[in-house]
Amino acid sequence: MPSDAKILVVDDHEDTLYALESALAPLGHLVTRATSGDDALKEVLRGQVGLLLLDVRMPGVGGLDVVRYMRRVEQTQHIPVILLTGFGPDTELSATAFALGVADLVMKPVDPWTLRTKVRYLYDTHQRRRALEAEVRELRARTKERPTPPAPGRPHTDTRVPPQRDGHTDAREAREARGARDARGARDAREARGAREAREAREQDRTA
């Protein structure tokens, strides 16, 4: 499961951090540590955190405070969080944690195999989500760059400039049209005269 996103483990006890790092080592991911809520927030805001293992109760900023802040920031609101507690089952804690979008609540001491199974599933799901979001952003960017085709049935607008006409062209065309009209008139007159002469000739033949 190679990825550039790291797993951040947060606890104020050195032995717990060591146990968590040892349990997660077989997954092959980069694991970094923080010993306080403040340090955890700084690390998360630097980016490239794919999953957070977070102790609930720590001096100063506790685990729930870290989650509340992360859920208000777009950059970090979808990072999966597993809360760790060593105080046994707590109904109120569970309700608050899940209302904040915590993925799971794990009791200490942790079982290494169970922890790896949970982490592998949540980590891979988050990475697939990130990859899908990146593809969607890329497709949207390509769609914006692509020119919009004309609507079906819509007449194409001709943007070419029509040829310019000058006075000489108009005068020449007028003379040509007048000449053609005169020629047709002369032809019609000849045909009418010929028809009249033929009619007169037939009448003379009848009277002869």
Side-chain angles (χ1 to χ4, degrees), residues 5-6 22 27 29 40 42 49-50 55 58 67 88 95 103 109 111-112 118 131 142 156-157 161 175 177 192 194 198:
K6 56 195 173 187
S22 299
L27 296 179
H29 295 302
K42 292 176 183 177
V49 172
D55 189 24
M58 294 180 292
V67 177
D111 175 69
K118 293 176 183 290
R142 290 180 180 178
H156 176 69
T157 302
V161 178
R175 286 195 301 272

PDB file of all heavy atoms in Angstrom, residues 5-6 22 27 29 40 42 49-50 55 58 67 88 95 103 109 111-112 118 131 142 156-157 161 175 177 192 194 198:
ATOM      1  N   ALA A   5       1.097   9.692   1.805  1.00  0.00           N
ATOM      2  CA  ALA A   5       0.406  10.168   3.000  1.00  0.00           C
ATOM      3  C   ALA A   5       0.890   9.381   4.223  1.00  0.00           C
ATOM      4  O   ALA A   5       1.023   8.157   4.177  1.00  0.00           O
ATOM      5  CB  ALA A   5      -1.101  10.027   2.839  1.00  0.00           C
ATOM      6  N   LYS A   6       1.109  10.088   5.309  1.00  0.00           N
ATOM      7  CA  LYS A   6       1.645   9.441   6.506  1.00  0.00           C
ATOM      8  C   LYS A   6       0.550   9.200   7.533  1.00  0.00           C
ATOM      9  O   LYS A   6      -0.540   9.756   7.472  1.00  0.00           O
ATOM     10  CB  LYS A   6       2.752  10.310   7.103  1.00  0.00           C
ATOM     11  CG  LYS A   6       2.306  11.727   7.418  1.00  0.00           C
ATOM     12  CD  LYS A   6       3.500  12.631   7.659  1.00  0.00           C
ATOM     13  CE  LYS A   6       3.064  14.089   7.797  1.00  0.00           C
ATOM     14  NZ  LYS A   6       4.213  15.005   7.858  1.00  0.00           N
ATOM     15  N   SER A  22       5.154   0.190  16.478  1.00  0.00           N
ATOM     16  CA  SER A  22       5.498  -1.214  16.232  1.00  0.00           C
ATOM     17  C   SER A  22       4.332  -1.968  15.600  1.00  0.00           C
ATOM     18  O   SER A  22       4.524  -2.799  14.704  1.00  0.00           O
ATOM     19  CB  SER A  22       5.905  -1.895  17.550  1.00  0.00           C
ATOM     20  OG  SER A  22       7.041  -1.256  18.109  1.00  0.00           O
ATOM     21  N   LEU A  27       2.556  -2.347   7.910  1.00  0.00           N
ATOM     22  CA  LEU A  27       1.766  -1.755   6.827  1.00  0.00           C
ATOM     23  C   LEU A  27       2.646  -1.061   5.801  1.00  0.00           C
ATOM     24  O   LEU A  27       2.215  -0.835   4.661  1.00  0.00           O
ATOM     25  CB  LEU A  27       0.750  -0.761   7.399  1.00  0.00           C
ATOM     26  CG  LEU A  27      -0.323  -1.343   8.324  1.00  0.00           C
ATOM     27  CD1 LEU A  27      -1.237  -0.236   8.830  1.00  0.00           C
ATOM     28  CD2 LEU A  27      -1.129  -2.418   7.606  1.00  0.00           C
ATOM     29  N   HIS A  29       3.800   2.078   5.833  1.00  0.00           N
ATOM     30  CA  HIS A  29       3.594   3.516   5.688  1.00  0.00           C
ATOM     31  C   HIS A  29       4.551   4.293   6.594  1.00  0.00           C
ATOM     32  O   HIS A  29       5.040   3.775   7.600  1.00  0.00           O
ATOM     33  CB  HIS A  29       2.167   3.899   6.058  1.00  0.00           C
ATOM     34  CG  HIS A  29       1.139   3.337   5.138  1.00  0.00           C
ATOM     35  ND1 HIS A  29       1.122   3.586   3.790  1.00  0.00           N
ATOM     36  CD2 HIS A  29       0.089   2.512   5.381  1.00  0.00           C
ATOM     37  CE1 HIS A  29       0.106   2.948   3.233  1.00  0.00           C
ATOM     38  NE2 HIS A  29      -0.528   2.289   4.180  1.00  0.00           N
ATOM     39  N   ALA A  40      -0.009  17.953  17.331  1.00  0.00           N
ATOM     40  CA  ALA A  40      -0.798  17.183  16.369  1.00  0.00           C
ATOM     41  C   ALA A  40      -1.455  18.115  15.346  1.00  0.00           C
ATOM     42  O   ALA A  40      -1.442  17.843  14.135  1.00  0.00           O
ATOM     43  CB  ALA A  40      -1.858  16.365  17.093  1.00  0.00           C
ATOM     44  N   LYS A  42      -0.481  21.115  14.420  1.00  0.00           N
ATOM     45  CA  LYS A  42       0.551  21.677  13.551  1.00  0.00           C
ATOM     46  C   LYS A  42       0.943  20.684  12.460  1.00  0.00           C
ATOM     47  O   LYS A  42       1.097  21.043  11.289  1.00  0.00           O
ATOM     48  CB  LYS A  42       1.777  22.065  14.374  1.00  0.00           C
ATOM     49  CG  LYS A  42       1.538  23.238  15.321  1.00  0.00           C
ATOM     50  CD  LYS A  42       2.768  23.493  16.175  1.00  0.00           C
ATOM     51  CE  LYS A  42       2.513  24.620  17.185  1.00  0.00           C
ATOM     52  NZ  LYS A  42       3.677  24.853  18.079  1.00  0.00           N
ATOM     53  N   VAL A  49      -1.206  14.044   5.774  1.00  0.00           N
ATOM     54  CA  VAL A  49      -1.580  13.089   6.820  1.00  0.00           C
ATOM     55  C   VAL A  49      -2.770  12.292   6.301  1.00  0.00           C
ATOM     56  O   VAL A  49      -3.815  12.854   5.962  1.00  0.00           O
ATOM     57  CB  VAL A  49      -1.935  13.795   8.145  1.00  0.00           C
ATOM     58  CG1 VAL A  49      -2.496  12.799   9.156  1.00  0.00           C
ATOM     59  CG2 VAL A  49      -0.713  14.498   8.719  1.00  0.00           C
ATOM     60  N   GLY A  50      -2.604  10.959   6.233  1.00  0.00           N
ATOM     61  CA  GLY A  50      -3.663  10.102   5.703  1.00  0.00           C
ATOM     62  C   GLY A  50      -4.542   9.483   6.752  1.00  0.00           C
ATOM     63  O   GLY A  50      -5.643   9.008   6.457  1.00  0.00           O
ATOM     64  N   ASP A  55      -4.893  10.023  21.115  1.00  0.00           N
ATOM     65  CA  ASP A  55      -5.298   9.761  22.495  1.00  0.00           C
ATOM     66  C   ASP A  55      -6.372  10.770  22.922  1.00  0.00           C
ATOM     67  O   ASP A  55      -6.302  11.954  22.565  1.00  0.00           O
ATOM     68  CB  ASP A  55      -4.084   9.865  23.422  1.00  0.00           C
ATOM     69  CG  ASP A  55      -4.400   9.398  24.833  1.00  0.00           C
ATOM     70  OD1 ASP A  55      -5.341   8.596  24.997  1.00  0.00           O
ATOM     71  OD2 ASP A  55      -3.733   9.859  25.770  1.00  0.00           O
ATOM     72  N   MET A  58      -5.161  14.135  27.027  1.00  0.00           N
ATOM     73  CA  MET A  58      -3.780  14.599  27.068  1.00  0.00           C
ATOM     74  C   MET A  58      -3.757  15.953  27.762  1.00  0.00           C
ATOM     75  O   MET A  58      -4.770  16.681  27.755  1.00  0.00           O
ATOM     76  CB  MET A  58      -3.202  14.732  25.648  1.00  0.00           C
ATOM     77  CG  MET A  58      -3.044  13.428  24.902  1.00  0.00           C
ATOM     78  SD  MET A  58      -2.366  13.671  23.223  1.00  0.00           S
ATOM     79  CE  MET A  58      -3.735  14.517  22.429  1.00  0.00           C
ATOM     80  N   VAL A  67     -10.050  17.011  17.212  1.00  0.00           N
ATOM     81  CA  VAL A  67     -11.027  16.600  16.195  1.00  0.00           C
ATOM     82  C   VAL A  67     -11.982  17.748  15.875  1.00  0.00           C
ATOM     83  O   VAL A  67     -12.324  17.985  14.710  1.00  0.00           O
ATOM     84  CB  VAL A  67     -11.808  15.361  16.678  1.00  0.00           C
ATOM     85  CG1 VAL A  67     -12.873  14.981  15.646  1.00  0.00           C
ATOM     86  CG2 VAL A  67     -10.860  14.195  16.906  1.00  0.00           C
ATOM     87  N   GLY A  88     -11.599   2.603  29.624  1.00  0.00           N
ATOM     88  CA  GLY A  88     -12.717   1.686  29.490  1.00  0.00           C
ATOM     89  C   GLY A  88     -13.876   2.305  28.724  1.00  0.00           C
ATOM     90  O   GLY A  88     -13.840   3.466  28.318  1.00  0.00           O
ATOM     91  N   ALA A  95     -20.581   8.741  22.185  1.00  0.00           N
ATOM     92  CA  ALA A  95     -21.577   9.549  21.486  1.00  0.00           C
ATOM     93  C   ALA A  95     -20.961  10.837  20.964  1.00  0.00           C
ATOM     94  O   ALA A  95     -21.213  11.253  19.820  1.00  0.00           O
ATOM     95  CB  ALA A  95     -22.742   9.855  22.425  1.00  0.00           C
ATOM     96  N   ALA A 103     -13.859   7.917  13.250  1.00  0.00           N
ATOM     97  CA  ALA A 103     -14.088   6.642  12.565  1.00  0.00           C
ATOM     98  C   ALA A 103     -14.223   5.482  13.529  1.00  0.00           C
ATOM     99  O   ALA A 103     -15.028   4.569  13.309  1.00  0.00           O
ATOM    100  CB  ALA A 103     -12.951   6.377  11.576  1.00  0.00           C
ATOM    101  N   PRO A 109      -4.738  -1.289  26.362  1.00  0.00           N
ATOM    102  CA  PRO A 109      -3.724  -1.520  25.326  1.00  0.00           C
ATOM    103  C   PRO A 109      -4.340  -2.098  24.053  1.00  0.00           C
ATOM    104  O   PRO A 109      -5.292  -2.874  24.123  1.00  0.00           O
ATOM    105  CB  PRO A 109      -2.761  -2.488  25.981  1.00  0.00           C
ATOM    106  CG  PRO A 109      -3.597  -3.246  26.961  1.00  0.00           C
ATOM    107  CD  PRO A 109      -4.612  -2.273  27.477  1.00  0.00           C
ATOM    108  N   ASP A 111      -4.744  -4.156  20.474  1.00  0.00           N
ATOM    109  CA  ASP A 111      -4.362  -5.420  19.855  1.00  0.00           C
ATOM    110  C   ASP A 111      -3.747  -5.097  18.490  1.00  0.00           C
ATOM    111  O   ASP A 111      -4.424  -4.506  17.636  1.00  0.00           O
ATOM    112  CB  ASP A 111      -5.587  -6.319  19.673  1.00  0.00           C
ATOM    113  CG  ASP A 111      -5.253  -7.588  18.927  1.00  0.00           C
ATOM    114  OD1 ASP A 111      -4.536  -8.432  19.487  1.00  0.00           O
ATOM    115  OD2 ASP A 111      -5.689  -7.712  17.757  1.00  0.00           O
ATOM    116  N   PRO A 112      -2.483  -5.442  18.255  1.00  0.00           N
ATOM    117  CA  PRO A 112      -1.800  -5.022  17.019  1.00  0.00           C
ATOM    118  C   PRO A 112      -2.530  -5.462  15.749  1.00  0.00           C
ATOM    119  O   PRO A 112      -2.677  -4.665  14.812  1.00  0.00           O
ATOM    120  CB  PRO A 112      -0.421  -5.678  17.129  1.00  0.00           C
ATOM    121  CG  PRO A 112      -0.202  -5.824  18.599  1.00  0.00           C
ATOM    122  CD  PRO A 112      -1.551  -6.126  19.172  1.00  0.00           C
ATOM    123  N   LYS A 118      -8.033  -2.204  11.106  1.00  0.00           N
ATOM    124  CA  LYS A 118      -8.827  -0.968  11.080  1.00  0.00           C
ATOM    125  C   LYS A 118      -8.095   0.132  10.307  1.00  0.00           C
ATOM    126  O   LYS A 118      -8.686   0.830   9.469  1.00  0.00           O
ATOM    127  CB  LYS A 118      -9.116  -0.496  12.510  1.00  0.00           C
ATOM    128  CG  LYS A 118     -10.025  -1.405  13.320  1.00  0.00           C
ATOM    129  CD  LYS A 118     -10.163  -0.885  14.744  1.00  0.00           C
ATOM    130  CE  LYS A 118     -11.013  -1.800  15.606  1.00  0.00           C
ATOM    131  NZ  LYS A 118     -12.436  -1.790  15.227  1.00  0.00           N
ATOM    132  N   ALA A 131      -8.061  10.304  -4.445  1.00  0.00           N
ATOM    133  CA  ALA A 131      -7.787  10.100  -5.865  1.00  0.00           C
ATOM    134  C   ALA A 131      -9.011  10.431  -6.715  1.00  0.00           C
ATOM    135  O   ALA A 131      -8.897  11.052  -7.778  1.00  0.00           O
ATOM    136  CB  ALA A 131      -7.354   8.655  -6.098  1.00  0.00           C
ATOM    137  N   ARG A 142     -10.915  20.422 -17.404  1.00  0.00           N
ATOM    138  CA  ARG A 142     -10.916  20.173 -18.845  1.00  0.00           C
ATOM    139  C   ARG A 142     -12.220  20.642 -19.472  1.00  0.00           C
ATOM    140  O   ARG A 142     -12.229  21.152 -20.589  1.00  0.00           O
ATOM    141  CB  ARG A 142     -10.725  18.682 -19.110  1.00  0.00           C
ATOM    142  CG  ARG A 142      -9.333  18.159 -18.791  1.00  0.00           C
ATOM    143  CD  ARG A 142      -9.238  16.683 -19.079  1.00  0.00           C
ATOM    144  NE  ARG A 142      -7.910  16.161 -18.791  1.00  0.00           N
ATOM    145  CZ  ARG A 142      -7.589  14.877 -18.922  1.00  0.00           C
ATOM    146  NH1 ARG A 142      -8.494  14.005 -19.339  1.00  0.00           N
ATOM    147  NH2 ARG A 142      -6.362  14.475 -18.637  1.00  0.00           N
ATOM    148  N   HIS A 156     -25.947  29.333 -37.986  1.00  0.00           N
ATOM    149  CA  HIS A 156     -24.576  29.797 -37.780  1.00  0.00           C
ATOM    150  C   HIS A 156     -24.474  31.276 -38.145  1.00  0.00           C
ATOM    151  O   HIS A 156     -24.973  31.718 -39.177  1.00  0.00           O
ATOM    152  CB  HIS A 156     -23.625  28.977 -38.648  1.00  0.00           C
ATOM    153  CG  HIS A 156     -22.213  29.450 -38.570  1.00  0.00           C
ATOM    154  ND1 HIS A 156     -21.452  29.320 -37.432  1.00  0.00           N
ATOM    155  CD2 HIS A 156     -21.426  30.057 -39.493  1.00  0.00           C
ATOM    156  CE1 HIS A 156     -20.259  29.826 -37.663  1.00  0.00           C
ATOM    157  NE2 HIS A 156     -20.221  30.280 -38.892  1.00  0.00           N
ATOM    158  N   THR A 157     -23.866  32.000 -37.315  1.00  0.00           N
ATOM    159  CA  THR A 157     -23.703  33.437 -37.552  1.00  0.00           C
ATOM    160  C   THR A 157     -22.460  33.674 -38.402  1.00  0.00           C
ATOM    161  O   THR A 157     -21.355  33.314 -38.001  1.00  0.00           O
ATOM    162  CB  THR A 157     -23.571  34.187 -36.219  1.00  0.00           C
ATOM    163  OG1 THR A 157     -24.728  33.925 -35.430  1.00  0.00           O
ATOM    164  CG2 THR A 157     -23.461  35.679 -36.446  1.00  0.00           C
ATOM    165  N   VAL A 161     -17.108  39.951 -43.372  1.00  0.00           N
ATOM    166  CA  VAL A 161     -17.534  41.272 -43.839  1.00  0.00           C
ATOM    167  C   VAL A 161     -17.962  41.154 -45.293  1.00  0.00           C
ATOM    168  O   VAL A 161     -17.220  40.621 -46.127  1.00  0.00           O
ATOM    169  CB  VAL A 161     -16.380  42.288 -43.717  1.00  0.00           C
ATOM    170  CG1 VAL A 161     -16.800  43.643 -44.245  1.00  0.00           C
ATOM    171  CG2 VAL A 161     -15.954  42.389 -42.256  1.00  0.00           C
ATOM    172  N   ARG A 175     -26.414  50.095 -66.422  1.00  0.00           N
ATOM    173  CA  ARG A 175     -26.367  50.186 -67.891  1.00  0.00           C
ATOM    174  C   ARG A 175     -26.622  48.826 -68.517  1.00  0.00           C
ATOM    175  O   ARG A 175     -27.334  48.709 -69.515  1.00  0.00           O
ATOM    176  CB  ARG A 175     -25.015  50.736 -68.337  1.00  0.00           C
ATOM    177  CG  ARG A 175     -24.832  52.228 -68.086  1.00  0.00           C
ATOM    178  CD  ARG A 175     -23.643  52.755 -68.870  1.00  0.00           C
ATOM    179  NE  ARG A 175     -22.396  52.077 -68.524  1.00  0.00           N
ATOM    180  CZ  ARG A 175     -21.585  52.446 -67.539  1.00  0.00           C
ATOM    181  NH1 ARG A 175     -21.907  53.516 -66.784  1.00  0.00           N
ATOM    182  NH2 ARG A 175     -20.475  51.798 -67.293  1.00  0.00           N
ATOM    183  N   ALA A 177     -28.309  46.337 -67.229  1.00  0.00           N
ATOM    184  CA  ALA A 177     -29.720  45.969 -67.063  1.00  0.00           C
ATOM    185  C   ALA A 177     -30.592  46.738 -68.051  1.00  0.00           C
ATOM    186  O   ALA A 177     -31.535  46.191 -68.658  1.00  0.00           O
ATOM    187  CB  ALA A 177     -30.155  46.271 -65.620  1.00  0.00           C
ATOM    188  N   ALA A 192     -43.959  41.377 -82.900  1.00  0.00           N
ATOM    189  CA  ALA A 192     -45.329  41.903 -83.074  1.00  0.00           C
ATOM    190  C   ALA A 192     -45.539  42.380 -84.512  1.00  0.00           C
ATOM    191  O   ALA A 192     -46.598  42.158 -85.133  1.00  0.00           O
ATOM    192  CB  ALA A 192     -45.572  43.037 -82.074  1.00  0.00           C
ATOM    193  N   GLY A 194     -43.943  41.385 -87.223  1.00  0.00           N
ATOM    194  CA  GLY A 194     -43.991  40.227 -88.107  1.00  0.00           C
ATOM    195  C   GLY A 194     -45.343  39.551 -88.058  1.00  0.00           C
ATOM    196  O   GLY A 194     -45.875  39.117 -89.076  1.00  0.00           O
ATOM    197  N   ALA A 198     -48.038  39.204 -91.175  1.00  0.00           N
ATOM    198  CA  ALA A 198     -48.547  37.895 -91.604  1.00  0.00           C
ATOM    199  C   ALA A 198     -50.053  37.883 -91.604  1.00  0.00           C
ATOM    200  O   ALA A 198     -50.694  37.316 -92.511  1.00  0.00           O
ATOM    201  CB  ALA A 198     -47.994  36.813 -90.677  1.00  0.00           C
TER     202      ALA A 198
END
